[in-house]
Each structure stands twice: as structure tokens, then as C-alpha cells.
Amino acid sequence: MEQATLPAPFFLKLPNATLPGCRPIGSLEEWHSPLAKQHKRRHLPMNTTNTTNTTGLLGIICPVDDASVAFADCAACAARGGKPCPFPPEVLAAVVQRRPAFQKAPGEDLVISVTELIKCARRTRLEAIHGYYELLGGLYRMQRGTWIHGVLERLATGEAEKRLEWVFRRNGRVVRLTGKPDLVRDGVVYDYKVTENPPRGRRHYACQCGAEVIKLGRARKYTCPNCGEVGQQAIFSTYDAPAPRTSHTWQLRMYALLLAKAGTPVKAGEVIYLGPKEIVRVPVTLDEAATVARIKAQLDLLFADEMPPALADGSDDAWACDYCPLAEVCKQAPPKS
């Protein structure tokens, strides 16, 4: 659940050019349209200068008047009752509080968390030169997950929320990778995910000829593309168990790698999806060699002169594009940063 900010020196080489399709600060509200809501865009991009105060997440979109408001101003407004805000002041203060960014030690070129490293590298690069505001409801949903994590941490019987770090070199740069697994117990690393849509298993039906069939409603009959309508006695079924999201797999694997570097290796991993009505526990296969290769590949994308590619259509993580704060800017980004 941790957040990290890539250090400014790393991004100083990025130009401060205006990208096509960006809007100045004064016209942010133009992005807050019914069409944007329809496409689940909960964030608003904007064009800014490359300083520490105008890049990344800058504040919220007020639920009362759609104004772009800095975090401190939002909390102050709620405390004095300036607007008929649907959020109680104490809840809003908890939602808009920001964690301090990780600080580099002398000689380090980059400090980055596992959570930041596994996300879209293109988005990370764009966040370094653009600022954005997020709908308050979106931040509330994320913060609600953090609150649940806090309760589970207090009740855990294993080692919970321990900060891990690994310092290494990549292409001449000193990198510190940091992460905080939700729980480590009996040689297993666990990660909780609060979600409205946990992964589900799927049952497949096939005809004796080998073709996949379609079940006809609740009747015990099926349609085969080769044999036509067939009865239940002519088909067999297989079941695919729920699988973890791709990003969650890499996150847990990186936690396992950090644990190994800290001298406490684990033998297995598990993602626990906390849905609104059910809990889905999904095992994760650990692979140290693949994890190291993944870390190298992600760092190479972040350090490269070229802008990283967008997530491929149809990929397991492509859904994130619908919620990306810089989706419109992403479409117009130049090939070189």
C-alpha cells in the first residue's frame, strides 16, 4: 500500500514542453465531462511546469462544485464548513492526507517502491512532467482499502507491514527498491487486495469431439459447432481456478525477492482478495529469476530516452487505462521524453 515518488534528479532530463492535448490549469474543469465519467475517467490531466509542486497528484476535484482544489485547501474548507461537503471533516482529513515521499540517501540515483515499479512505466514518466487532480470518491475508495489493511495489521499473528529495502546497481545507477508486504507467516508472504471484483474461476464445457460447447440456459443440453445439439452425457467439463492479476503476481514476487535479500526467504505467496461478499484466496508461484528480469526491464523503461510504450490492448492490465489520470496526455505523448 505504500507510495513512492521518483526523485527529481532522475527526471531533470525530461523536457518541459507542452504536449498536444494538454490543458492549462485554468481549464481543468473542461475535462470533467459526462463523457469522461462514462469512460470511468476519474482523473483530470493538466499541463504544468516541471517543479516539485506541479507534478503528480496535486489535489482533488471538489464533489460540490467540481473545482480543482489542493489537498491542504480541501481539508481547511471542510474544517470550517465552507461548502456543503458530503464528507465529514475527520473522514475527509484522513482521505486527503499525503504520505511523505521517500528520500534518497547520498549516492543513490533512484528510490522506488514495489507498488510504483509494477505499474505502467509510461504513466510514471508522464506523471513526472504533468500534474493531475483526482475525484474525491476515487481517493476515498483507495483510502478505505488502507484502513482495512490497518485493522488486519493489528490483528495479524505473523510479521505484518515490515519495511524491506534492497540497494543495487543497474546500468551504473544506484537504485533502492523498497516494499512492505502485508503479512509474512510460516514461510508464506501474503498481500491483501480490497476490491469490488475479485477474480473468479471459470468452467469450460467440451464435446467428445474436442470442440468447446455452449450450454443452453439451465437445460442439460449443449450446442457443439461440429455435432450440433448434444446432451450432457456427450460432454465433459474442466475448471480453471481463479488466477491473480498480473500486476499482483509481480508485486508478491518482488516482495519475496526483498525478503530473500533480507535473509528471510519464503517458499510461497498468496493474494487474498477481499470482495464485498466473499474472500478469494489465490496462490502465487514464486520465480526469483523471472522477478529479477522484470525489475531490470521496468528500470530500463524508466531510464530510457524513449517514452515507454502504452499498455497493450487486451493485456491483463489494460483496464488501468480507463482509470489513468493521464490517459488523454498518453495518447499525444512524443516517442522521446
Side-chain angles (χ1 to χ4, degrees):
M1 299 299 296
E2 72 280 9
Q3 296 180 348
T5 301
L6 293 173
F10 166 69
F11 287 113
L12 288 179
K13 66 177 183 178
L14 299 179
N16 185 27
T18 300
L19 297 180
C22 300
R23 301 295 179 91
I25 295 176
S27 58
L28 272 174
E29 288 75 12
E30 295 177 23
W31 289 88
H32 194 49
S33 64
L35 181 61
K37 292 180 180 179
Q38 178 181 345
H39 287 82
K40 302 179 182 179
R41 294 270 164 75
R42 299 178 296 166
H43 311 74
L44 306 178
M46 73 174 189
N47 182 55
T48 68
T49 56
N50 188 14
T51 69
T52 56
N53 295 325
T54 55
T55 59
L57 180 57
L58 303 178
I60 60 96
I61 302 299
C62 179
V64 178
D65 57 13
D66 281 355
S68 305
V69 184
F71 288 117
D73 295 338
C74 176
C77 177
R80 67 173 182 268
K83 299 178 183 179
C85 181
F87 286 78
E90 60 277 5
V91 175
L92 190 142
V95 170
V96 302
Q97 65 180 346
R98 299 290 92 196
R99 296 181 181 179
F102 295 119
Q103 299 299 314
K104 293 189 302 177
E108 291 180 340
D109 297 291
L110 173 65
V111 182
I112 188 168
S113 71
V114 167
T115 305
E116 288 291 310
L117 187 59
I118 63 173
K119 79 178 187 182
C120 173
R122 186 179 181 89
R123 170 177 169 173
T124 300
R125 291 280 290 271
L126 289 173
E127 285 181 355
I129 52 176
H130 291 274
Y132 62 93
Y133 292 80
E134 184 166 4
L135 293 177
L136 189 55
L139 282 179
Y140 167 70
R141 283 188 289 273
M142 288 186 284
Q143 189 63 37
R144 185 181 61 177
T146 301
W147 295 336
I148 294 175
H149 276 74
V151 173
L152 296 175
E153 178 184 353
R154 291 194 298 271
L155 298 176
T157 57
E159 192 170 52
E161 298 285 348
K162 179 182 178 180
R163 173 68 59 187
L164 302 169
E165 295 183 339
W166 176 35
V167 180
F168 57 94
R169 287 184 176 272
R170 178 60 180 167
N171 294 336
R173 294 182 173 91
V174 178
V175 178
R176 173 157 47 107
L177 179 63
T178 179
K180 195 162 63 170
D182 288 336
L183 178 64
V184 180
R185 182 172 57 206
D186 298 330
V188 181
V189 56
Y190 298 90
D191 196 55
Y192 297 107
K193 298 296 181 185
V194 180
T195 177
E196 299 297 320
N197 184 30
R200 304 184 185 281
R202 182 187 176 192
R203 186 167 294 280
H204 302 267
Y205 298 91
C207 179
Q208 291 181 349
C209 71
E212 188 167 350
V213 299
I214 300 175
K215 189 175 182 180
L216 302 177
R218 295 185 178 181
R220 295 184 177 181
K221 293 183 179 181
Y222 305 82
T223 298
C224 172
N226 299 328
C227 307
E229 186 175 308
V230 295
Q232 186 175 16
Q233 69 279 2
I235 64 99
F236 62 92
S237 66
T238 58
Y239 178 73
D240 292 338
R245 316 286 191 217
T246 300
S247 58
H248 299 163
T249 296
W250 288 118
Q251 183 178 11
L252 214 60
R253 286 178 172 179
M254 290 183 190
Y255 286 154
L257 180 62
L258 290 179
L259 286 164
K261 297 298 181 181
T264 55
V266 292
K267 59 187 178 183
E270 183 176 280
V271 181
I272 303 177
Y273 292 94
L274 306 176
K277 296 182 179 180
E278 60 182 336
I279 295 175
V280 180
R281 304 180 64 166
V282 183
V284 171
T285 302
L286 304 181
D287 188 330
E288 183 170 321
T291 304
V292 171
R294 177 73 174 188
I295 291 173
K296 291 179 179 179
Q298 287 296 100
L299 289 174
D300 290 346
L301 289 174
L302 294 178
F303 285 125
D305 292 332
E306 295 77 17
M307 182 65 69
L311 296 175
D313 292 338
S315 65
D316 187 48
D317 293 325
W319 61 268
C321 294
D322 288 335
Y323 297 87
C324 180
L326 297 168
E328 296 301 325
V329 175
C330 175
K331 297 176 183 178
Q332 304 294 334
K336 287 185 179 290
S337 57

